[in-house]
Amino acid sequence: PVTPTLAWYVENVREIIDRVRGETGARLAILDLPPLGEDLSGEINGRVVEYNEALREVAAEAGVPVLPLHDRLVALLPEAHTPPPFEGRRDLMGSALVRRLVLRRSWDEVSVAHGLALLTDHVHLNDRAAAVIAELVADWLVGQGGTVITRGSPTRHPPSLGTDLPGAGGRAGGPARRLSPPGADRPR
């Protein structure tokens, strides 16, 4: 095993970019890292900022856009929010799964039960935060000439994210939203 370091992270990101480029014809974009826990003044989030800076440098060198997940999520945190500290406890993950799978709570409700706004257990995103990823990716796809399909009809404009996402509004069951790569809507 290798002890994770910033240098090792950078090396791996470079290798992933090179490998995906070398083995596929895919256009690439990278999401930066979300916060770990919601206490932005904590040591762990200082490291997340450092790793995101390194990620942006590597991506810029490779000509790969970085989608600003971290900044978008930070902007959504309530101003007076005082979340519990991130302690790396695995029992919160177990609690989140029980609340979701047994008690049938939405991921947003799980977050609230844990004193969080965007994360279910300090690590995993809730529905609201996942919608940010969907929006960032949809915007990027549209910018690449791709098509975003919502409610069965293709559009070249990113739809508003909200109740059309599965799980939005606290309960699953809305129509699914499908993101298609550029050209996927064209006949073959």
Side-chain angles (χ1 to χ4, degrees):
V2 175
T3 301
T5 63
L6 183 58
W8 183 71
Y9 173 73
V10 165
E11 177 185 328
N12 280 287
V13 170
R14 280 193 179 111
E15 188 175 318
I16 290 167
I17 291 170
D18 291 346
R19 187 170 177 187
V20 170
R21 280 201 168 142
E23 296 178 14
T24 75
R27 294 182 216 164
L28 301 180
I30 298 173
L31 287 163
D32 63 9
L33 302 171
L36 279 173
E38 295 178 2
D39 176 4
L40 301 177
S41 65
E43 177 187 344
I44 193 76
N45 274 309
R47 280 193 249 152
V48 168
V49 169
E50 183 181 2
Y51 276 58
N52 276 336
E53 288 170 1
L55 174 68
R56 287 184 197 100
E57 288 176 23
V58 171
E61 291 168 8
V64 175
V66 176
L67 309 182
L69 177 61
H70 186 273
D71 292 345
R72 293 284 293 275
L73 293 180
V74 166
L76 290 177
L77 289 173
E79 225 173 281
H81 185 49
T82 54
F86 174 77
E87 298 170 335
R89 294 176 27 213
R90 292 185 185 182
D91 61 319
L92 273 182
M93 290 181 193
S95 171
L97 286 172
V98 167
R99 289 175 191 274
R100 174 67 176 171
L101 300 174
V102 176
L103 300 177
R104 313 278 295 159
R105 302 291 186 250
S106 72
W107 290 120
D108 292 338
E109 291 169 324
V110 171
S111 293
V112 170
H114 290 161
L116 300 167
L118 300 171
L119 305 171
T120 61
D121 52 17
H122 293 288
V123 176
H124 298 98
L125 307 179
N126 67 13
D127 296 328
R128 184 173 176 215
V132 171
I133 291 177
E135 184 174 30
L136 287 167
V137 172
D139 289 348
W140 181 78
L141 281 171
V142 169
Q144 296 295 304
T147 301
V148 177
I149 299 175
T150 303
R151 298 181 193 208
S153 60
T155 179
R156 297 258 180 223
H157 327 279
S160 74
L161 295 177
T163 57
D164 60 336
L165 286 173
R171 293 280 175 222
R177 178 167 191 238
R178 191 173 80 222
L179 303 178
S180 301
D185 61 322
R186 293 184 205 120
R188 297 179 190 237

